[in-house]
Amino acid sequence: AQSVTQLGSHVSVSEGALVLLRCNYSSSVPPYLFWYVQYPNQGLQLLLKYTSAATLVKGINGFEAEFKKSETSFHLTKPSAHMSDAAEYFCAASLVGGTYKYIFGTGTRLKVLA
Amino acid sequence: DVKVTQSSRYLVKRTGEKVFLECVQDMDHENMFWYRQDPGLGLRLIYFSYDVKMKEKGDIPEGYSVSREKKERFSLILESASTNQTSMYLCASSPGLTFTRSEQYFGPGTRLTVT
C-alpha cells in the first residue's frame, strides 16, 4: 500500500537557521507530491507541489522542495527560518493516473526559537 | 481567491444527536472532500464527491454520511454522534476531473466535541 512518512513529529530550529522537514513516499510509480502548511486554528494551504516537471520546486514564503526518485523523498527546506514559519506541515502524495485521493503524512510541527 | 467556508468553527453536541456540518465553496470546483484530523494521525478521508449527487467512501466512512445536492455545497452528517467522533473536521475542494494533479483548497475546520 502506498504511504507517506514524515520523519519527526516535532522539529525545533533557531530563527535564521535552516529548516529541513523530511518526507518519504512509498510507491512503485512516482506520485504527485504536495506540501501544505497549517497555521493554528486554520485549514491547510498549499506551499508547493511537484507534478513531474522540474525536480526542484519553489513555493511560497521562501520554501522549496526537491524530488529525488532514487531516495523516494520530497524534503522541504527553507534557508532561514522566521518566527512566522511556526506551524504544522503536511506532506501529501497522490498517484498518477487514477487514484481519487491524497495520502497525507502525519504532519511535522515546526517550532522556531528566538 | 478560492474560498471554502464551513458553517461552524466550534460545535458541542451530545452523544446520540444527529449532527450536520456544512461546507460551501465559491469557485465552481467539481470535487469536494471531508477529512477528519486527529493528533498524530494526520488527515483521514471520510467521503468525497466528484459531482453533484455523487459520493464515494474514503478511508473511514463508518458512522458518517454525506449529501451533495448542489455543486457548491457538501454536507457531512453524523447520524448518531459518539464521543469517538470528537475531532477537527476539514472540508476541501479541488478543480477538474483529474483529482490527482490538483491542489486542494481547505476550509478553516470545525472542531466538534461530543459529550
Side-chain angles (χ1 to χ4, degrees):
Chain A
Q2 293 79 32
S3 66
V4 171
T5 302
Q6 291 184 240
L7 191 63
S9 58
H10 291 80
V11 170
S12 294
V13 299
S14 298
E15 193 173 19
L18 171 72
V19 176
L20 170 61
L21 304 182
R22 300 177 188 274
C23 174
N24 289 87
Y25 66 90
S26 69
S27 171
S28 56
V29 176
Y32 297 131
L33 293 159
F34 306 79
W35 275 101
Y36 287 86
V37 61
Q38 185 180 32
Y39 298 104
N41 297 316
Q42 294 185 28
L44 281 67
Q45 65 182 85
L46 181 73
L47 271 179
L48 48 80
K49 65 179 180 180
Y50 166 77
T51 56
S52 72
T55 56
L56 182 63
V57 182
K58 294 189 184 297
I60 62 171
N61 302 338
F63 284 93
E64 64 182 35
E66 185 172 10
F67 172 70
K68 291 188 177 180
K69 184 178 176 180
S70 60
E71 299 177 9
T72 61
S73 70
F74 190 56
H75 300 332
L76 182 71
T77 60
K78 182 174 179 178
S80 177
H82 192 271
M83 298 297 287
S84 60
D85 295 326
E88 189 156 23
Y89 293 80
F90 291 92
C91 182
S94 68
L95 287 185
V96 175
T99 210
Y100 58 81
K101 63 179 183 179
Y102 283 16
I103 301 167
F104 281 90
T106 53
T108 298
R109 188 169 296 279
L110 176 67
K111 187 174 181 180
V112 182
L113 306 170
Chain B
D1 274 355
V2 176
K3 195 153 188 189
V4 180
T5 56
Q6 296 183 228
S7 51
S8 305
R9 293 298 304 271
Y10 300 92
L11 210 52
V12 180
K13 295 292 181 180
R14 294 202 179 273
T15 301
E17 278 193 81
K18 191 168 187 175
V19 181
F20 294 86
L21 303 183
E22 304 285 340
C23 175
V24 177
Q25 51 96 2
D26 66 358
M27 283 301 289
D28 203 36
H29 284 173
E30 286 76 10
N31 314 304
M32 296 188 75
F33 308 81
W34 274 107
Y35 295 90
R36 64 176 283 176
Q37 181 181 13
D38 299 288
L41 297 179
L43 276 71
R44 293 180 291 168
L45 182 65
I46 305 171
Y47 269 96
F48 78 101
S49 168
Y50 53 89
D51 200 355
V52 176
K53 295 191 187 292
M54 305 302 290
K55 60 185 180 185
E56 294 284 345
K57 293 180 180 179
D59 298 315
I60 51 164
E62 296 78 20
Y64 303 95
S65 62
V66 291
S67 171
R68 194 169 181 199
E69 296 295 321
K70 293 186 177 181
K71 191 175 184 179
E72 67 271 19
R73 189 179 297 269
F74 192 36
S75 302
L76 179 69
I77 303 152
L78 285 67
E79 298 291 341
S80 177
S82 65
T83 55
N84 63 13
Q85 292 178 310
T86 291
S87 186
M88 170 71 89
Y89 290 88
L90 292 169
C91 176
S93 71
S94 72
L97 298 177
T98 306
F99 302 95
T100 54
R101 293 178 65 95
S102 302
E103 62 264 37
Q104 296 188 5
Y105 297 83
F106 285 82
T110 295
R111 188 167 293 282
L112 173 67
T113 302
V114 182
T115 61

